[in-house]
Amino acid sequence: MKVFKFGGASVKDANGVKNIVTVLNEVGYQDLLIVVSAMGKMTNAFEKIADAYFLKKDELPVFIKEVRDYHYSIVNELFENKEHKVFSEIEYLFIGLTGFMIQNKATDYNFVYDQIVSIAELISTKIVSCYLNDSAIENTWIDVRECIKTNSNYRDAKVDWKLTEKSIVTKINPRILYITQGFIASNESGNTTTLGREGSDYSAGIFAYCLNADSLTIWKDVEGVLNADPRYFQETQLLEQISYTEAIELAFYGASVIHPKTLQPLQNKGIPLLVKSFLNPKKKGTHVSDGKKLVPETPCFIVKKNQLFLSISALDFSFVVEHNISEIFNLFHQYKMKVNLIQNSAISFSICLEDNFNLIKNLLAELSNKYKVVCFEKVSLFTVRHFQNKNIEELEKNNKVLLKQFTQETVQIVVQ
Ligand code: ASP
Ligand code: MG
């Protein structure tokens, strides 16, 4: 079997959905399972609904209208017959959303977020599934929440591999073409959970693993994995071959083309990952597998924006040693900070952090009871793998450097 994943950019409008038909007709769709994520930027739009539900209830209708209009404009373009069942299927999902918002008593933001945001993936897959069926690509829509099982850590749920493998093997008939959702899953009580933003690559990786797939193909609006993000760098190069380990390193440092968790299940079973362009399906794209580390051998640039840079020292200028460091790390864990870089000297400890849950104020309040803390906001973290000195000079020329750290193959620079 094979697994394909189409991301938000591939289904951002009616033409995108039509293009999936073109891709499938061009490359074939035998023995295939397809994961499709929410359309365009719809996950962000549903996040706004979740926020408004808690903070500004009066703005809810505006945000709901925004997602309704977006999806209905796509289905209206795709389906001429207004009696088509796709319309009632989508309406049913919107009724479910409203019903949930009226009935829900839970105050846990993360729980509510998952119940709301997941609707975007359900709608998107309904549309794609119906459209493919109408285009003679016979398929079955399946609710991924029956397949991928997780714990109850809403918004960042951990996969229960045993249960998941069992469900997938029982539910999936290899001879049927399935369309299913990425990013969402369910816990023991059947509540919806999510695997973390951009998690649908990971979902596809989970299916590939459990089905012992021959390969996983992620269809993108770029040619494959590039050595730098074209949004921030002018000259980019296509990476033709990357080893799993190198891809894991790149993803770890923040290369956004591959979700970091996706690679591990694939590597465990030696399942190749192909990253290809949905605009040029016949082009080779990038091949991630065992074997050559990086072809061509070229520096790879990764930038993480919107980072926090903290410099922490003891109030009495004593040394920052093991017990302080463990205390500081416990606080990072408690406030769900993602640590991207650390460096310590005798009296200070510097960290580059990501505050995905908006908890920096609480963290700083607690840290400053014991430490002197200097915090720089909105800094950027540049990582260059396989760097050449000229790459570093270039970065230093244009930015104010707060920290620079070298390891054999990698340089990381925090700039303001
Ligand atoms: N739709 C989800 C998101 O935008 C998952 C994904 O696209 O991978 O985060
Ligand atoms: Mg997406």
Side-chain angles (χ1 to χ4, degrees):
M1 258 195 110
K2 283 187 192 151
V3 178
F4 280 2
K5 181 253 168 175
F6 287 93
S10 67
V11 285
K12 68 177 191 317
D13 50 27
N15 281 337
V17 179
K18 291 180 187 166
N19 185 57
I20 294 189
V21 175
T22 313
V23 172
L24 293 178
N25 283 328
E26 219 166 294
V27 301
Y29 46 88
Q30 283 247 305
D31 305 320
L32 181 66
L33 178 139
I34 304 178
V35 172
V36 181
S37 68
M39 301 183 132
K41 300 266 178 258
M42 276 299 108
T43 304
N44 295 2
F46 274 82
E47 279 184 340
K48 285 204 272 177
I49 298 179
D51 287 348
Y53 177 78
F54 279 97
L55 302 170
K56 315 174 247 184
K57 278 227 162 59
D58 52 318
E59 286 180 22
L60 266 176
V62 182
F63 294 134
I64 295 178
K65 184 171 185 306
E66 190 188 322
V67 301
R68 281 185 72 92
D69 289 354
Y70 183 92
H71 287 112
Y72 276 106
S73 89
I74 293 177
V75 276
N76 275 320
E77 196 176 331
L78 291 174
F79 301 91
E80 263 165 37
N81 170 13
K82 305 304 168 205
E83 306 289 306
H84 196 291
K85 77 170 188 216
V86 73
F87 289 93
S88 53
E89 300 241 27
I90 295 173
E91 203 44 45
Y92 183 72
L93 289 167
F94 277 115
I95 292 169
L97 172 67
T98 325
F100 168 78
M101 290 197 282
I102 294 168
Q103 276 159 20
N104 172 59
K105 302 252 176 345
T107 51
D108 174 7
Y109 175 82
N110 294 339
F111 163 79
V112 171
Y113 173 103
D114 282 358
Q115 312 318 302
I116 292 178
V117 165
S118 50
I119 310 285
E121 323 289 319
L122 296 168
I123 300 178
S124 148
T125 48
K126 282 280 182 199
I127 297 174
V128 172
S129 169
C130 288
Y131 188 76
L132 294 187
N133 272 326
D134 285 11
S135 312
I137 301 182
E138 199 184 311
N139 70 89
T140 302
W141 182 92
I142 186 167
D143 189 330
V144 76
R145 294 170 296 183
E146 291 172 18
C147 298
I148 300 184
K149 293 290 172 181
T150 67
N151 68 3
S152 301
N153 192 16
Y154 295 104
R155 283 183 74 193
D156 189 21
K158 298 279 158 306
V159 173
D160 180 332
W161 282 96
K162 263 211 176 121
L163 258 184
T164 299
E165 194 162 11
K166 203 171 137 212
S167 321
I168 289 181
V169 171
T170 0
K171 291 258 148 55
I172 300 298
N173 173 351
R175 274 176 298 278
I176 292 177
L177 171 65
Y178 290 99
I179 306 292
T180 195
Q181 308 77 45
F183 175 54
I184 71 175
S186 75
N187 66 8
E188 229 178 5
S189 8
N191 290 326
T192 305
T193 56
T194 61
L195 305 171
R197 283 303 307 269
E198 306 303 330
S200 50
D201 289 0
Y202 183 39
S203 310
I206 296 168
F207 275 108
Y209 178 92
C210 295
L211 294 167
N212 290 315
D214 296 329
S215 63
L216 163 61
T217 306
I218 297 183
W219 296 96
K220 290 262 172 197
D221 54 359
V222 285
E223 258 186 271
V225 181
L226 305 178
N227 74 326
D229 186 333
R231 283 174 302 176
Y232 308 119
F233 296 89
Q234 271 170 0
E235 280 169 41
T236 59
Q237 237 181 317
L238 175 73
L239 304 174
E240 289 158 30
Q241 153 73 30
I242 317 174
S243 69
Y244 292 116
T245 341
E246 181 63 23
I248 289 171
E249 293 283 354
L250 292 171
F252 168 80
Y253 288 115
S256 58
V257 261
I258 305 170
H259 188 274
K261 286 184 194 161
T262 309
L263 292 151
Q264 210 188 2
L266 300 179
Q267 184 183 23
N268 277 338
K269 288 201 176 167
I271 301 168
L273 167 66
L274 310 167
V275 182
K276 290 163 66 110
S277 159
F278 56 72
L279 300 169
N280 275 312
K282 284 270 163 71
K283 274 206 172 166
K284 267 176 107 186
T286 300
H287 194 268
V288 183
S289 61
D290 278 329
K292 287 228 177 78
K293 195 172 186 163
L294 197 63
V295 181
E297 275 180 47
T298 181
C300 298
F301 297 84
I302 301 144
V303 52
K304 283 192 176 198
K305 300 256 170 185
N306 213 359
Q307 305 285 298
L308 295 162
F309 183 69
L310 266 54
S311 171
I312 303 175
S313 46
L315 288 171
D316 59 2
F317 289 104
S318 60
F319 288 171
V320 177
V321 290
E322 288 75 7
H323 77 270
N324 313 94
I325 295 178
S326 88
E327 181 178 63
I328 293 168
F329 264 87
N330 270 326
L331 289 174
F332 292 161
H333 180 66
Q334 190 180 328
Y335 292 107
K336 300 189 179 183
M337 296 291 158
K338 184 159 183 309
V339 176
N340 286 329
L341 179 69
I342 52 180
Q343 184 154 306
N344 66 323
S345 73
I347 54 161
S348 87
F349 185 67
S350 308
I351 317 99
C352 185
L353 289 174
E354 225 165 280
D355 176 20
N356 293 325
F357 292 83
N358 232 334
L359 294 169
I360 185 65
K361 283 214 176 70
N362 312 43
L363 171 69
L364 290 178
E366 197 145 341
L367 274 174
S368 54
N369 288 331
K370 281 212 183 157
Y371 301 94
K372 179 169 170 279
V373 187
V374 183
C375 173
F376 296 86
E377 288 180 20
K378 296 211 163 45
V379 304
S380 299
L381 170 63
F382 285 92
T383 303
V384 192
R385 295 267 303 156
H386 317 290
F387 60 90
Q388 292 161 359
N389 287 336
K390 66 168 195 242
N391 307 135
I392 305 171
E393 283 159 23
E394 199 109 312
L395 283 172
E396 285 180 329
K397 196 168 69 196
N398 303 323
N399 300 291
K400 182 177 169 217
V401 176
L402 296 171
L403 184 82
K404 185 160 70 175
Q405 195 175 77
F406 287 92
T407 52
Q408 211 178 12
E409 286 181 302
T410 309
V411 60
Q412 292 198 280
I413 306 179
V414 181
V415 302
Q416 212 176 2

